[in-house]
Amino acid sequence: MGSSQVEASFLTKIARAAFGIGLGAIVFNSSLYIVDDSQRTVLFDRFRGIIDETINEGAHFLIPWLQRPFIFDIRTCPHTFASVSGTKDLQMVNLTLRVLSRPRSFNSRESFKL
């Protein structure tokens, strides 16, 4: 009878340790975020608002409830504009314009307000 109490106590300690490790892993996972090489991040803090510093690529940490990352794409993106137009001899002509654009400079406050 004494050995069953020891076994139950041991299993209870293992369950508590596993619960603590699992809770710690969940907090660690929610406090880690990754910014790719073609992205920039702006952090929003609940007390300070938008933080002026722009975060570059890499793995970064944040305080889970207090901060929230907003990730922006800064790659060159193609935009296609198509139009159908008529000529004097009543033929239809397809006109397509492809424009490559990207942000000129990345300012955290201006980009976040857009």
Side-chain angles (χ1 to χ4, degrees), residues 6-68:
V6 172
E7 291 173 359
S9 173
F10 180 70
L11 290 176
T12 303
K13 289 179 183 177
I14 288 178
R16 287 181 184 165
F19 180 74
I21 290 172
L23 186 63
I26 289 172
V27 169
F28 178 75
N29 188 27
S30 65
S31 66
L32 181 70
Y33 68 99
I34 297 175
V35 180
D36 291 335
D37 59 349
S38 62
Q39 297 174 339
R40 297 293 180 265
T41 301
V42 175
L43 274 181
F44 177 77
D45 193 323
R46 291 186 188 265
F47 297 125
R48 294 183 288 169
I50 301 169
I51 298 175
D52 288 333
E53 181 180 338
T54 302
I55 299 170
N56 294 330
E57 61 269 359
H60 303 281
F61 291 99
L62 56 86
I63 303 169
W65 181 80
L66 186 65
Q67 296 175 335
R68 182 175 175 194

Side-chain angles (χ1 to χ4, degrees), residues 49-112:
I50 301 169
I51 298 175
D52 288 333
E53 181 180 338
T54 302
I55 299 170
N56 294 330
E57 61 269 359
H60 303 281
F61 291 99
L62 56 86
I63 303 169
W65 181 80
L66 186 65
Q67 296 175 335
R68 182 175 175 194
F70 289 94
I71 299 175
F72 293 95
D73 189 17
I74 60 165
R75 289 184 288 189
T76 302
C77 299
H79 297 282
T80 305
F81 301 99
S83 176
V84 178
S85 180
T87 61
K88 288 183 179 180
D89 57 354
L90 301 177
Q91 292 181 355
M92 300 305 285
V93 178
N94 292 325
L95 300 173
T96 305
L97 176 66
R98 183 172 186 234
V99 178
L100 297 175
S101 65
R102 65 181 174 141
R104 262 185 276 162
S105 63
F106 190 80
N107 186 351
S108 61
R109 289 196 179 269
E110 290 177 9
S111 298
F112 191 73

